[in-house]
Amino acid sequence: DGGITQSPKYLFRKEGQNVTLSCEQNLNHDAMYWYRQDPGQGLRLIYYSQIVNDFQKGDIAEGYSVSREKKESFPLTVTSAQKNPTAFYLCASSVGSSSYNEQFFGPGTRLTVL
Amino acid sequence: GQQVMQIPQYQHVQEGEDFTTYCNSSTTLSNIQWYKQRPGGHPVFLIQLVKSGEVKKQKRLTFQFGEAKKNSSLHITATQTTDVGTYFCAGGNNDMRFGAGTRLTVKP
């Protein structure tokens, strides 16, 4: 059963702690993305990766870091430098990074920082 | 980077009424995609428009791409309770950026 998985679904962390969100896909897609969703603000791009071992900052990369060591995996670390980390985080992938490619989204991780 | 503006932010309709959401860009787009996110779910791709003036239909949903490729709309005829959710447009020009979405609620 192909798709994108994100874990965990809900995550709670204390302020000042780094936390890593998992994203795995078995669709053999080259491109992967991380978005942050806040009420009324749609989807804002954090980071994206067009290919293994390469990634670029999106519109709101400050306070986040990523890695792309494997094609299937694109973990996102929310660092203590991120001022307002509480949000719904969505991972997506597409065949390629062209804007013509449909993006497939994972179920999301809701992060709450206490 | 490019920005895609979407209005309205919220829309509440009575079941059976029509619904329209609009997407606008200050720059010419190469293509536009529409996604739907059900409450508690994740965005799911609906359709892509590429050509100037293109119109596509999916049952009660009609999607349009403006002649100048700077705007797009999604129109739902005779809404049903299954239409509830947030509808996003995503404009492409080398890369893709999402609008803020329009949240649709339908009163039975």
Side-chain angles (χ1 to χ4, degrees):
Chain A
D1 187 22
I4 302 177
T5 57
Q6 291 185 245
S7 61
K9 189 171 183 179
Y10 298 96
L11 189 55
F12 296 88
R13 278 296 182 269
K14 290 184 179 179
E15 192 173 347
Q17 290 181 334
N18 290 359
V19 59
T20 298
L21 280 57
S22 166
C23 178
E24 303 279 332
Q25 55 98 0
N26 61 5
L27 300 168
N28 200 33
H29 285 172
D30 283 321
M32 296 187 74
Y33 312 82
W34 274 106
Y35 294 92
R36 170 180 173 142
Q37 186 172 29
D38 297 283
Q41 294 199 46
L43 304 175
R44 292 186 291 168
L45 183 64
I46 304 172
Y47 268 98
Y48 66 100
S49 169
Q50 296 174 307
I51 201 166
V52 176
N53 292 321
D54 183 59
F55 50 82
Q56 286 82 38
K57 293 181 179 180
D59 300 323
I60 55 166
E62 185 175 352
Y64 300 97
S65 65
V66 293
S67 62
R68 187 87 187 276
E69 297 176 0
K70 298 188 298 182
K71 188 175 186 177
E72 305 79 24
S73 179
F74 191 40
L76 173 74
T77 297
V78 184
T79 74
S80 57
Q82 169 50 232
K83 295 188 188 326
N84 297 299
T86 294
F88 187 50
Y89 291 89
L90 285 159
C91 178
S93 71
S94 60
V95 170
S97 59
S98 163
S99 66
Y100 293 95
N101 296 130
E102 168 189 351
Q103 293 190 24
F104 295 80
F105 285 82
T109 292
R110 191 166 296 278
L111 173 66
T112 302
V113 176
L114 307 170
Chain B
Q2 68 185 36
Q3 288 193 353
V4 174
M5 309 302 292
Q6 193 173 351
I7 56 169
Q9 188 174 355
Y10 302 96
Q11 185 77 55
H12 179 71
V13 300
Q14 189 80 34
E15 189 172 21
E17 292 181 339
D18 291 356
F19 159 77
T20 305
T21 173
Y22 301 90
C23 192
N24 295 287
S25 171
S26 58
T27 59
T28 301
L29 301 170
S30 55
N31 60 306
I32 197 153
Q33 296 176 349
W34 285 92
Y35 292 76
K36 177 183 179 181
Q37 183 177 23
R38 294 182 185 275
H42 57 276
V44 175
F45 175 82
L46 293 176
I47 209 160
Q48 175 166 258
L49 304 169
V50 177
K51 299 177 183 177
S52 168
E54 189 170 13
V55 177
K56 288 187 176 181
K57 293 190 176 184
Q58 288 180 349
K59 298 182 180 178
R60 294 178 294 104
L61 277 61
T62 301
F63 304 83
Q64 293 187 332
F65 202 9
E67 294 290 340
K69 300 183 74 174
K70 289 185 175 181
N71 57 73
S72 180
S73 65
L74 158 59
H75 179 82
I76 302 178
T77 303
T79 55
Q80 299 175 358
T81 54
T82 53
D83 294 325
V84 297
T86 302
Y87 293 85
F88 293 97
C89 63
N93 197 353
N94 295 321
D95 51 11
M96 184 69 75
R97 290 296 185 273
F98 283 80
T102 296
R103 182 177 174 185
L104 172 65
T105 55
V106 179
K107 184 177 182 181

